[in-house]
Amino acid sequence: MTFRDDSIILLHSNQDLNPIESGVFMLKRTEYCGRLRASDVGKSVIVSGWVHSYRDHGNLVFVDLRDREGLVQLVFDPENHPDTHKSARDLRCEWVISAQGTVRRRSEGMTNPKLPTGEIEIAVERFELQNTAKTPPFEIDDATNVGEETRLQCRYIDLRRPSMQNRLRIRHRVTKIVRDFYDDNGFYEIETPFLGKSTPEGARDFLVPSRLCKGMFYALPQSPQLFKQILMVSGMDRYFQIVRCFRDEDPRADRQAEFTQIDVEMSFVNSEDVMALNEKLICRIFKEILGVEVPQPVRRMTYQEAIRDYGIDRPDLRFDMKLKDISDIAGKSTFKVFTGVVESGGIVKGLCAPGGGRKYSRSDIEKTLADFVSDFGGKGLAWFKVEAENGKPVLKSNLVKFFTHEQQEQMLQRFGAADGDLILLVAGPAGQVNKALAPLRVRIGKELGFARPEQYAFVWVVDFPLFEWNPDEKRFDSMHHPFTSPIEEDMHKLETDPGNIRSQAYDLVVNGSEIGGGSVRIHNPARQAKVFDLLNITRQQAEDRFGFFLRALEYGAPPHGGIAFGLDRLIMILTGTDNIRDVIAFPKTQRGQCLMTEAPSTVELAQLNELNLRVQAHSHGKHQPE
RNA sequence: GGGGGCGUAGCUCAAUUGGUUAGAGCAUCGGACUGUCGAUCCGAAGGUUGAGGGUUCGAGCCCCUUCGCCCUCGCCA
C-alpha cells in the first residue's frame, strides 16, 4: 500500500499530467483503442482506457491499453519523451489513463497478427493518469478459467473480459434490431406495469407488499399477457415490448427468476400472420448477428408429429434419428416386460443410433445411458446392437431370444438399422417413454456428432392441444394459457372431447430450444367463459382474477394474437453459451442471490413496520439478525 | 424437497494408504534488461485447506454438522 502511495507521488513529481487530485483532465479521447488501424498511421490521437498489460524493458516500455473496442499497443520511448517514459514505468494493470501520441506503423517483423490493431502502435508523447486500481482478483483474460462465484462477486471485473463485452454487445445489437424491426412494421413499444395483481395459477409470483393498502400485495408480472391483450382492445393495433418478467421458481442453467421477453401482440391476425411476420425478425437477427440465412418460410410441424417422431414438443431437427413405436412387434414377443406394458396400454418405443453400436460399450449402455434414462423417469433401457452377418444386419442382445426371427427382421426394418448401429428401447406409459427418450435422443445425437453447434434448425410447432389433463387435480389445465383460442374446426369437441381440441398456439424452436411461443387469443367473451368452465374456473373465480379483462373483452375486442420470445435464450444461442448468466450483466445464483450486491437482504424493522409486516422466526439463514 | 459434483495462496490447480515445514504455474512486490506483445532473467512475499465439531500419536485426506457455488429431478399456465 505504501508503495502505491509513493508511486503516485513519483508520478506527480515530474512533468506529466496527473490530475487525480486536481480533477482537471486535459486529454479528451479522440479514438477507441481497438478501432485503430493501419489507415490511421500518422494521426495524432488521444486514447483512454485500462492498462491491460505492460512490458518494461528498462528502456522501452510497452503498454497494451484496453477499451471496449479492444487493445492497442502504446510505446514509451525515453529518447523522445524521457519524463513520460519515466512515469510510464510505474503504471500497473487496470490503471486508467489517457494517452496522446502518434499512430505509427510497426516495422517489419514487429507486427502482432493476433491483434486487429497489430499493424500499428501509438508512440506516446504524454499521458494522464486518471485513476489507479487495486490488483484485480483475477486476470482480465478469456484464457483463464475463473470460478463463477468469484466472477459474480466481482462482476465489474468480469464484465471487462472481452467475451463478456462481446456477449453484451450482441445483446444490445439484437435489441436494437428488434426495435427497428417492429418499428418498421408499425408496432408501438408500450410499457406495462411491474406492480400488478397476483394470479395464483402458473408459476409462483414474486410479491411486493403495499404500504398504502395494508396487508395487500402486488405481484411482479410473469408476463404482460393481459395488458397486451387489453392494448389490442384499446385499438393500439400492434404492440411490442422488451420486458422483464418474473417467475419465482428454481433457476436452471438456462433459466433465471427474472428474465427478458420480446413481447408482441397484433390485431386482426390469424396464427399464420403472426408466424409469418415474426419469423422474419428471427431471420433478420440470425442474418445480421451470425450471417446465417434461415430458410423462409420456417418449417411447420404439428405437435402430434413432434411427439411421435421426437418425443418432445421442441425437437432438435439438426439430425434425424426419429423415434419409432414398435409396440406392435414388442407386444407379440415373449419378453414379459414388453408384453406387460403393451397389454396395460403402454408403448415400446425407441431409436436407432447410427454407429452407436461401435461408440457405446455394454457398460456405457447399461450404466451411463440407463442411468440417464432413469433420471428422466424411464424404467429401464433395452438395447440391441446391430451387426452384419453374411452381409445382412442382425440383432445382438441378451433380449434377442424373446423375439422370433420375423420380429427381429421387422424391428431392423422399422428402424432402418444397419451394421454398427445401436437400437435403444424404453417401455411404459406413452408420456413417460417420450419424456425419457427425447433427452436420450439429443444426448446421443450430440455424442455421435450429428448435432453440429454451428447449424441452426428452425421449426414452428403448431396445433398444440388446448388442454392437458391434470391427474392430480382431476381436471383440464390450459397448455398455453386460458386465453388461447381453439382451432375453429375442433370447436364441436368443446363439450364432448375437450382433451382433443387443438389450439391456435405455436412455438418457435431452434435446435431443441424453445425460443418463442404464442397464440391467437379468444376475443369472444362467451367463448372465454366456456373455456373457463372447462378449466373448472368458476364465474366467481374468473371475476376475481380476470374480471377487468373479461369486461374489456365485452367492449369490442378485435381478433388478436401474439407471441413472446425469450431474449436471454436467444442470446445464448447466438453467442453459443449454455449458461444464461453469461448473457445477463448482473445475474443471480441458484438461490436467487446477487453475489455482488448481496441481495436479497434483511431490512430495517422500521421498513417492515411501515408495511405492516412481521417476519416469522426461522431456524437458519446467516444474514438474519440475532 | 430429492440426487450428483465442487470448495486448498489473489486466480487455476497438485499434494501416494491418514505421516516431515501443504507445493506448482499465473498474478503480486523488488531488481536487471533497447522492440516486447502469454516478454525474459534473478529474487521475495503470499495459506484459518469454506466454517464448526469429532476420531487419531498424527487430518487437506476419515466421520458428523453447517455454509456457499454449479448441474439435475420435481417445479417453471
Side-chain angles (χ1 to χ4, degrees), chain A residues 170 173-174 177 284-292 574:
Chain A
I170 287 177
R173 286 176 61 204
V174 169
I177 294 168
R284 190 150 139 188
I285 289 170
F286 273 74
K287 178 80 172 99
E288 287 191 27
I289 303 295
L290 296 178
V292 168
L574 293 167

Side-chain angles (χ1 to χ4, degrees), chain A residues 70-278:
Chain A
L71 296 177
V72 72
Q73 174 165 283
L74 310 181
V75 190
F76 298 84
D77 188 336
E79 309 231 329
N80 303 331
H81 301 277
D83 289 342
T84 299
H85 169 262
K86 197 175 171 207
S87 305
R89 296 194 69 182
D90 291 311
L91 289 174
R92 291 297 177 268
C93 285
E94 300 310 307
W95 287 20
V96 185
I97 64 169
S98 295
Q100 181 174 45
T102 307
V103 179
R104 71 183 183 202
R105 188 179 294 275
R106 298 201 201 177
S107 44
E108 198 76 17
M110 289 167 197
T111 59
N112 184 352
K114 291 179 197 164
L115 289 181
T117 60
E119 285 180 49
I120 55 102
E121 63 193 3
I122 300 176
V124 177
E125 288 139 28
R126 59 173 184 153
F127 74 92
E128 285 177 346
L129 179 62
Q130 314 287 18
N131 217 338
T132 58
K134 291 172 71 174
T135 302
F138 50 90
E139 291 170 70
I140 318 300
D141 181 9
D142 287 331
T144 44
N145 258 348
V146 182
E148 198 166 9
E149 211 170 336
T150 315
R151 289 173 51 201
L152 292 178
Q153 277 161 10
C154 288
R155 193 61 160 175
Y156 34 86
I157 302 296
D158 189 38
L159 292 179
R160 287 181 188 174
R161 295 161 61 223
S163 59
M164 291 306 294
Q165 299 227 331
N166 185 48
R167 292 191 191 104
L168 293 184
R169 180 173 137 268
I170 287 177
R171 191 171 173 126
H172 159 74
R173 286 176 61 204
V174 169
T175 54
K176 172 77 164 75
I177 294 168
V178 168
R179 290 202 161 91
D180 289 346
F181 176 85
Y182 287 115
D183 181 58
D184 291 347
N185 284 282
F187 288 73
Y188 291 170
E189 181 171 9
I190 302 172
E191 290 153 284
T192 51
F194 276 9
L195 298 176
K197 181 170 163 148
S198 176
T199 51
E201 285 190 336
R204 195 176 291 115
D205 281 326
F206 278 99
L207 297 177
V208 180
S210 162
R211 175 179 58 86
L212 296 172
C213 303
K214 297 224 183 301
M216 295 190 190
F217 295 83
Y218 300 99
L220 302 180
Q222 296 181 24
S223 81
Q225 184 60 36
L226 294 179
F227 285 103
K228 69 174 174 176
Q229 290 192 238
I230 286 172
L231 286 169
M232 296 303 100
V233 178
S234 311
M236 292 298 157
D237 196 65
R238 291 181 163 205
Y239 142 96
F240 84 101
Q241 185 182 190
I242 296 172
V243 64
R244 197 64 56 82
C245 301
F246 305 87
R247 294 179 190 172
D248 189 4
E249 300 291 347
D250 289 7
R252 283 284 188 285
D254 63 348
R255 223 164 70 190
Q256 285 263 302
E258 58 177 311
F259 61 100
T260 305
Q261 281 190 347
I262 304 165
D263 197 48
V264 179
E265 198 74 6
M266 309 161 70
S267 294
F268 305 107
V269 290
N270 58 31
S271 53
E272 270 305 318
D273 297 327
V274 178
M275 287 188 277
L277 179 77
N278 288 285

Side-chain angles (χ1 to χ4, degrees), chain A residues 360-371 383 385:
Chain A
Y360 297 104
S361 71
R362 182 165 170 171
S363 99
D364 287 340
I365 300 165
E366 294 185 348
K367 293 208 181 77
T368 314
L369 294 183
D371 283 354
W383 59 270
K385 288 197 174 186

Side-chain angles (χ1 to χ4, degrees), chain A residues 191 297 362 380 403 424 468 474 503 568:
Chain A
E191 290 153 284
R362 182 165 170 171
F403 291 81
L424 295 168
E468 65 186 336
K474 294 204 166 48
S503 71
D568 310 279

